[in-house]
Amino acid sequence: MNRIITPIIAGLSVALAIVVVTASAETNRGALNDLEALTFDMRFFTDTSCSELRPDLGSSDLEKFKSELLRTVATALINRTYDKTYRAANYEAYPSSRELARMIKLGDGFSRYENITGVCLDEGENVVFVGPTGGKQLELLVPDWMRKPAEGVEPTKDPNGWGLHKQTISLREGVNIIQVTKGGNAYVSYFDDEAENAPVVCVHFVTGKINGFFDVSKHTNDDWKRLLDNAVSPILDARGKHIQVAYPVEWFNVFTRGKGVELIRNYDAMLHHHYTLMGLVKYDKVPRNRILARVNFNYYMFRDRDGVAYLGNKSTMGKVADPDTVIVGDPCWGFSHEVGHALQMRQITWGGMTEVSCNLFSLYTGGQLGNPSRLKAQKNYASARKNIIDAEPKISYLVAPDVFDRLVPFWQLHLYFAQNGRPDFYADVMEEMRRRPDAGRGDNSILNQFEFIKICGDVARLDLTDFFERWGFFWVGNLEVNDYRKYNFTITQEMVDDVRSYLARKNYAKPSVDITLMEE
């Protein structure tokens, strides 16, 4: 339960939150006794974070402290031996899912663990001080990164699911006495709808062990080795400009020893290519929020609302924790595919497109990093033309059972424009999507297909109706599509005629070549 008291400190009325999760009557009594002493001693510090002593205090004032915990902190501050790098750090707000939706029409999919503390809290009672918050809401997250299925349980059938379990603890300005149910790395959850205007907040962990974390913008490979050697947690956090990684120290020592900088830069490079394809680089809209890649112990690779998760064994970690392998072949495709799910916009993900539009990112990113085209290697160009264009009777591309065949026409647009001086074609298409509202959802999501055709024509300033006609985008009738749910589309001649007349009125020229024949 949470209780709030309002003591008077240094002549100011300051609201303090004390989070006490009841474990037993004895634990509660201990917490309350500490609380009285901690609250008294806060008057010796400049603010509620208790990270700076008042300038008028010296060694002779230490005997006035009632709390042994804060006396120890004060002694170290006076002696200049208190390392606040992780214990008392400042945290900035990150854009909330609502703000991301407003900025880039994407919400969930980015990391919920942005503010890495580098502190590993032990199970049981811990004390955390929070500086002035300006009324903003903060939480402390303690995820169970290393959670494994119970002995004898088949990992893929774990009744507790594959997802990340965590403890969430409310933090308030002032002293927080918290009960951690299972020890682990701590993260300050601080997201806001107006993040740029939110105050920086100091959070001070006076208990817990220092694990540290790797930041490629500040650290070197020597720092990486030092962090691995001194880790007190089985998980080490690392972050770049776009990526956040939480993998076991065990496998970092095997596959990433001396190569932390290279690993994070390679993840950042993959995400940079994602953001380039979708126009966030060109239009200066790359979010501060990062994508999270983490360990799991249930399945080889998947993506959920907490990021991309990789199986914590030697085989999988050898693919994703080694900078030389993560950007080639299946590891590169898999990461790009899963992140592609987080970045695929609704306007290019109507029913039947869930496992299609995400792979635009895989093809683009893989190609930029020197990987061969999977569509070419799998002979999907030939099979797509045979199974869709040449099918009798005529069909919609959406009923093609192979999602790679469905991907072909979308990738051919990129190939054509890239070969004709417009490599940023999709960047412009997706920016235009961000400017327009969704045309429809659910069984009406097919309307986004026709809006997509219009946007492509406007961006290219070409009449692409022949191309879309050949791929079955203008198929008319009732269509049932299974795509994680059933979609029942009613495609009318009026819908088709509306698109045709829209583009006809623009008097755009037609492409000089048959784009359906494009290949790498």
Side-chain angles (χ1 to χ4, degrees), residues 50-61:
C50 294
S51 58
E52 295 281 352
L53 282 171
R54 291 197 340 242
D56 59 317
L57 290 179
S59 300
S60 61
D61 296 299

Side-chain angles (χ1 to χ4, degrees), residues 109-154:
F110 293 91
S111 175
R112 300 164 186 265
Y113 304 89
E114 283 285 2
N115 278 312
I116 309 167
T117 68
V119 175
C120 185
L121 296 178
D122 291 327
E123 179 180 332
E125 186 174 283
N126 285 272
V127 179
V128 183
F129 288 92
V130 177
T133 65
K136 299 297 184 180
Q137 300 298 308
L138 284 75
E139 293 179 323
L140 190 65
L141 305 181
V142 187
D144 187 0
W145 296 118
M146 297 294 290
R147 183 184 69 85
K148 299 178 180 179
E151 188 174 350
V153 172
E154 186 176 336

Side-chain angles (χ1 to χ4, degrees), residues 2 17 19 48-49 89-94 112 115 117 128-141 167-174 176 178 187-192 198-205:
N2 296 349
V19 181
T48 54
S49 71
N90 292 324
Y91 297 94
E92 296 181 354
Y94 280 83
R112 300 164 186 265
N115 278 312
T117 68
V128 183
F129 288 92
V130 177
T133 65
K136 299 297 184 180
Q137 300 298 308
L138 284 75
E139 293 179 323
L140 190 65
L141 305 181
Q167 183 181 3
T168 303
I169 303 168
S170 294
L171 292 178
R172 299 292 185 270
E173 191 172 313
N176 297 257
I178 63 174
Y187 306 79
V188 174
S189 178
Y190 185 18
F191 297 92
D192 196 77
V200 174
V201 178
C202 180
V203 180
H204 183 187
F205 296 89

